[in-house]
């Protein structure tokens, strides 16, 4: 009972604010989403905050192949089920993330019974079973899937992943066909980082055209938008929104976060890239200086101003995490740093950038859906 009362009071404290819920503020323009981890879904305080602020949620990890089918035929539904039920209770659109990706894959899929690399046929069969089982389970309830994640490199070429190596370059279209076959009503998305890059932009546009020419369903393109205070150039970023929209698909901002830490490396969201910890890469261990918090708020507003301008083409804007402490950026690409990339701080208090986003649409007219 005591615990229940404590939780109730913490939840009330989170909600005790005169601020307008962001999901309502942005409702005339696009859905506002958040990536949630298992802990947040199960935690009443974080959960209450997420439902108040966001109208969509993406499963941060629990639907990735490594998590949901760690061994052949062994499906781990617990967390994905919780996630979907949580979204339903909160009136949030759940996004299934992600079916085909070279990171966090179900490694066993790539090896045949003889210990050698799986044949094209075997891998396709395993992928189909995976899709049929996972997409099939959440049919009707999950209406949008990131079908393929991060297939292209910065040069606009297909990355040399196991999918490409073992199946061949047509693995993308085959994956889209499979998901459509299992759930003909589901929306299907392609998702990638570094989408401001001209070569990747062109490659993704060509892929959309190719899928469409073959009559294969693709509904949207996800621009991950893992960015920092300087990178990318906003004009290039905006060009990509325009280019994808011109191909006749919905544009989605799917994984937005803004790192405030020094990037002493080539900017990338390729998560296999790691660097050794060094104090000089971790300047704000105790707190975020006001001037940087200000800069962060301005940068968030710069991006959201673009989204508002293109609201007619943008279906959803999702931030990659609820609060700074849970962000993957604290460990990427250097382990053990203290980053501040999201709208809520480590104590679940709204940050300057969150409040700036609440005010932003007031000064904006037009492009409502
Ligand atoms: C990529 C993936 C996400 C997530 C992030 C890091 O962007 O699409 O699922 O793993 O990396 O959190």
């Amino acid at each position: 009972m005591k615990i229940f009362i404590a939780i109730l009071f913490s939840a009330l404290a989170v909600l005790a604010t005169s601020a307008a819920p962001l999901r309502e503020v942005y409702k005339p323009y696009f859905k506002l989403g958040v990536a949630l981890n298992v802990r947040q879904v199960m935690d009443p305080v974080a959960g209450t905050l997420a439902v108040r602020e966001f109208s969509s949620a993406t499963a941060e990890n629990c639907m990735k192949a490594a998590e949901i089918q760690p061994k052949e035929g062994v499906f781990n539904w617990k967390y994905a089920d919780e996630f979907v039920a949580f979204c339903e209770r909160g009136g949030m659109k759940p996004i299934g993330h992600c079916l085909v990706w070279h990171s966090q894959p179900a490694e066993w899929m790539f090896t045949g019974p003889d210990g050698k690399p799986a044949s094209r046929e075997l891998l396709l069969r395993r992928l189909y079973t995976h899709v049929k089982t996972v997409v099939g389970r959440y049919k009707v309830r999950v209406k949008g899937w990131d079908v393929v994640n991060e297939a292209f490199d910065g040069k606009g070429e297909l990355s040399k992943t196991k999918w490409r190596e073992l199946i061949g370059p047509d693995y993308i279209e085959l994956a889209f066909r499979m998901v459509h076959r299992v759930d003909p009503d589901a929306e299907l998305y392609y998702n990638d980082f570094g989408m401001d890059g001209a070569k990747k932009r062109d490659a993704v546009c060509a892929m959309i055209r190719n899928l469409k020419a073959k009559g294969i369903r693709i509904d949207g393109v996800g621009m991950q938008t893992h960015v920092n205070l300087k990178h990318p150039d906003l004009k290039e970023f905006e060009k990509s929104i325009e280019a994808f929209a011109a191909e006749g698909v919905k544009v989605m901002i799917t994984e937005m976060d803004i790192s405030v830490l020094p990037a002493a490396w080539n900017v990338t969201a390729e998560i296999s890239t790691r660097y050794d910890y060094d104090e000089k890469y971790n300047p704000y261990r105790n707190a975020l200086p006001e001037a940087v918090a200000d800069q962060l708020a301005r940068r968030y507003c710069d991006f959201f101003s673009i989204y508002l301008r293109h609201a007619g083409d943008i279906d959803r804007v999702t931030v990659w995490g609820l609060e700074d402490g849970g962000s993957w950026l604290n460990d990427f690409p250097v382990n053990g740093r203290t980053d501040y990339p999201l709208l809520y701080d480590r104590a679940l208090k709204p940050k300057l950038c969150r409040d700036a986003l609440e005010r932003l649409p007031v000064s904006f007219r037009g492009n409502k859906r």
Side-chain angles (χ1 to χ4, degrees):
M1 187 64 180
K2 262 191 194 152
I3 293 179
F4 173 74
I5 291 173
I7 290 173
L8 185 69
F9 275 102
S10 325
L12 287 175
V14 165
L15 287 174
T17 160
S18 57
L22 287 182
R23 66 186 275 171
E24 294 306 321
V25 172
Y26 282 91
K27 197 171 176 180
Y29 305 100
F30 36 74
K31 289 184 238 6
L32 204 61
V34 62
L36 293 177
N37 61 37
V38 167
R39 187 177 45 77
Q40 290 157 343
V41 166
M42 313 276 235
D43 174 62
V45 181
T48 305
L49 177 62
V51 168
R52 174 181 191 278
E53 292 280 68
F54 299 98
S55 51
S56 167
T58 304
E60 185 171 359
N61 282 304
C62 67
M63 287 182 161
K64 290 174 179 170
E67 304 280 329
I68 210 161
Q69 198 189 172
K71 288 194 191 128
E72 183 151 29
V74 177
F75 289 87
N76 178 9
W77 300 120
K78 185 173 176 341
Y79 298 128
D81 282 0
E82 291 272 1
F83 168 77
V84 176
F86 171 85
C87 290
E88 286 169 342
R89 286 197 302 275
M92 301 165 103
K93 178 178 178 178
I95 304 298
H97 172 84
C98 49
L99 297 164
V100 176
W101 188 29
H102 59 275
S103 278
Q104 296 173 266
E107 283 289 352
W108 59 264
M109 281 194 197
F110 302 128
T111 309
D114 53 2
K116 298 210 176 101
S119 65
R120 171 180 160 97
E121 290 66 34
L122 179 60
L123 184 51
L124 284 173
R125 214 166 40 242
R126 285 172 167 172
L127 178 60
Y128 187 62
T129 304
H130 185 77
V131 166
K132 200 170 61 176
T133 316
V134 176
V135 175
R137 181 177 183 91
Y138 299 111
K139 209 165 161 171
V140 183
R141 301 173 73 198
V142 174
K143 298 196 180 76
W145 284 95
D146 288 335
V147 177
V148 176
N149 200 26
E150 305 179 352
F152 294 99
D153 64 20
K155 294 189 200 125
E157 276 155 30
L158 277 184
S159 299
K160 294 187 179 64
T161 65
K162 295 248 172 73
W163 296 106
R164 195 226 147 138
E165 185 193 319
L166 300 176
I167 296 177
D170 57 347
Y171 82 88
I172 299 180
E173 57 187 78
L174 291 170
F176 275 84
R177 279 188 202 277
M178 284 181 195
V179 184
H180 183 58
R181 191 201 237 186
V182 172
D183 187 353
D185 296 326
E187 291 197 336
L188 312 185
Y189 316 134
Y190 175 77
N191 192 48
D192 210 334
F193 65 86
M195 295 283 252
D196 53 290
K199 292 193 173 139
K200 197 175 269 201
R201 175 199 302 144
D202 291 348
V204 172
C205 286
M207 178 202 69
I208 301 167
R209 280 199 290 276
N210 175 46
L211 293 179
K212 289 196 163 194
K214 292 180 177 166
I216 300 170
R217 178 168 183 168
I218 174 165
D219 296 271
V221 160
M223 300 172 66
Q224 290 185 2
T225 318
H226 296 294
V227 297
N228 65 31
L229 292 173
K230 295 200 184 101
H231 180 91
D233 176 75
L234 293 176
K235 288 211 179 69
E236 289 303 307
F237 185 84
E238 189 165 8
K239 269 193 211 162
S240 296
I241 296 180
E242 289 164 358
F244 300 141
E247 297 298 338
V249 293
K250 296 179 182 175
V251 178
M252 300 177 183
I253 307 300
T254 50
E255 305 189 12
M256 184 172 187
D257 45 26
I258 305 181
S259 174
V260 300
L261 297 182
W265 41 80
N266 289 332
V267 178
T268 175
E270 169 53 55
I271 70 169
S272 56
T273 325
R274 292 282 155 146
Y275 297 83
D276 288 338
Y277 181 85
D278 189 320
E279 291 292 320
K280 71 172 186 264
Y281 296 143
N282 194 21
Y284 315 128
R285 251 173 310 156
N286 302 322
L288 184 64
E290 230 173 89
V292 186
D294 242 36
Q295 242 184 310
L296 178 66
R298 262 182 280 126
R299 186 79 168 149
Y300 258 109
C301 287
D302 288 346
F303 274 95
F304 269 70
S305 300
I306 297 179
Y307 306 155
L308 288 170
R309 265 207 303 286
H310 293 279
D313 294 321
I314 294 185
D315 181 68
R316 166 173 56 98
V317 175
T318 292
V319 288
W320 201 247
L322 184 63
E323 49 81 27
D324 289 340
S327 168
W328 72 299
L329 287 171
N330 294 306
D331 289 308
F332 174 84
V334 180
N335 272 325
R337 298 199 297 175
T338 307
D339 208 340
Y340 301 82
L342 298 168
L343 304 181
Y344 276 79
D345 72 12
R346 289 166 166 77
L348 291 182
K349 294 272 174 305
K351 290 163 63 184
L352 206 63
C353 49
R354 184 257 168 235
D355 293 340
L357 290 187
E358 183 191 331
R359 288 189 304 270
L360 184 68
V362 175
S363 56
F364 184 85
R365 297 271 173 274
N367 284 9
K368 296 187 179 180
R369 276 199 290 189

